[in-house]
Amino acid sequence: GNSVTQMEGPVTLSEEAFLTINCTYTATGYPSLFWYVQYPGEGLQLLLKATKADDKGSNKGFEATYRKETTSFHLEKGSVQVSDSAVYFCALSGGSGGSNYKLTFGKGTLLTVNP
Amino acid sequence: GAVVSQHPSWVICKSGTSVKIECRSLDFQATTMFWYRQFPKQSLMLMATSNEGSKATYEQGVEKDKFLINHASLTLSTLTVTSAHPEDSSFYICSARGLAGPDTQYFGPGTRLTVL
């Protein structure tokens, strides 16, 4: 079956630092890949997604590239802000082992950005 | 747009009682709703998938008689935890899939259940 492994947190950075949160997946076929963000007290929100190999998803300065050769979808941002403090979830759907609407999540990575 | 609400946001109940959690899509019609459970520092685990007007599909290992799901309309799904016990204490999150695409889900803020 499908699975997602993401970097354990928590991650603490200073404002304007570079962010990388690693995410690797196990799936057969060609799953869709996602990053969701959960701000304190709120529900998960879709941050970005990629649906095929070499696609780059981007939003709000965050980027992630679908790397099939390394089965990875690492999240990056060049300069984080205090407002980026949240929990970040990597997820996938579809592929040969799953339906195209069931999401499989990683455990989440708590990011804290200090001023 | 695409807002999903949950009620209540937190609930404390005594062991043996039943608790109902509501999930509503406020500004769109949800063809499918999902219920997840999240333990501290763990990922979201899908419990069941419900389609409006039909029986829910439960994931392996989830007791359907324990976690009753009703999807009576295109904007409302409910999860009832029957005869709750302390081990049912958890964070329950719903999501709704609209017509924007099979892989687009909108999440509610979650409900914290504590069973004493």
Side-chain angles (χ1 to χ4, degrees):
Chain A
N2 295 340
S3 68
V4 175
T5 303
Q6 70 180 94
M7 180 175 162
E8 295 262 347
V11 174
T12 302
L13 296 173
S14 298
E15 207 164 23
E16 299 184 2
F18 184 84
L19 168 71
T20 299
I21 301 178
N22 291 337
C23 172
T24 57
Y25 67 91
T26 300
T28 54
Y30 296 89
S32 294
L33 302 175
F34 308 84
W35 276 100
Y36 281 85
V37 58
Q38 185 176 29
Y39 298 104
E42 300 182 15
L44 276 73
Q45 301 173 25
L46 178 63
L47 180 59
L48 52 86
K49 69 177 184 180
T51 57
K52 61 182 187 294
D54 299 326
D55 265 4
K56 177 185 283 188
S58 62
N59 186 24
K60 299 181 180 180
F62 291 89
E63 293 183 339
T65 301
Y66 188 143
R67 301 286 188 198
K68 187 160 178 63
E69 64 275 16
T70 54
T71 62
S72 65
F73 193 56
H74 304 322
L75 182 68
E76 296 182 338
K77 186 174 185 182
S79 176
V80 294
Q81 304 300 312
V82 172
S83 57
D84 293 327
S85 297
V87 180
Y88 292 82
F89 292 90
C90 185
L92 67 81
S93 70
S96 301
S99 75
N100 62 357
Y101 58 78
K102 287 187 181 180
L103 288 168
T104 300
F105 286 91
K107 291 186 177 182
T109 302
L110 172 63
L111 170 67
T112 301
V113 180
N114 296 317
Chain B
V3 178
V4 175
S5 70
Q6 281 185 242
H7 178 79
S9 55
W10 58 271
V11 58
I12 301 173
C13 70
K14 293 182 179 180
S15 186
T17 61
S18 294
V19 174
K20 180 184 284 189
I21 302 170
E22 292 186 349
C23 176
R24 293 181 184 272
S25 56
L26 298 184
D27 50 4
F28 68 102
Q29 293 184 327
T31 54
T32 306
M33 287 185 169
F34 305 87
W35 287 95
Y36 296 85
R37 185 172 178 178
Q38 185 180 26
F39 293 100
K41 298 184 180 180
Q42 299 292 319
S43 65
L44 281 73
M45 302 298 295
L46 180 64
M47 298 175 64
T49 303
S50 72
N51 292 295
E52 185 263 341
S54 61
K55 290 185 178 180
T57 302
Y58 290 81
E59 295 299 301
Q60 191 173 9
V62 177
E63 300 175 61
K64 62 180 180 180
D65 294 330
K66 173 82 172 166
F67 299 99
L68 300 179
I69 292 171
N70 183 279
H71 194 159
S73 76
L74 284 171
T75 59
L76 173 64
S77 176
T78 60
L79 167 67
T80 301
V81 182
T82 62
S83 187
H85 288 95
E87 58 266 29
D88 300 323
S89 299
S90 193
F91 196 56
Y92 293 89
I93 301 172
C94 73
S95 71
R97 180 168 70 97
L99 302 177
D103 60 4
T104 303
Q105 293 186 27
Y106 302 98
F107 285 80
T111 296
R112 171 73 61 193
L113 170 63
T114 301
V115 185
L116 302 177

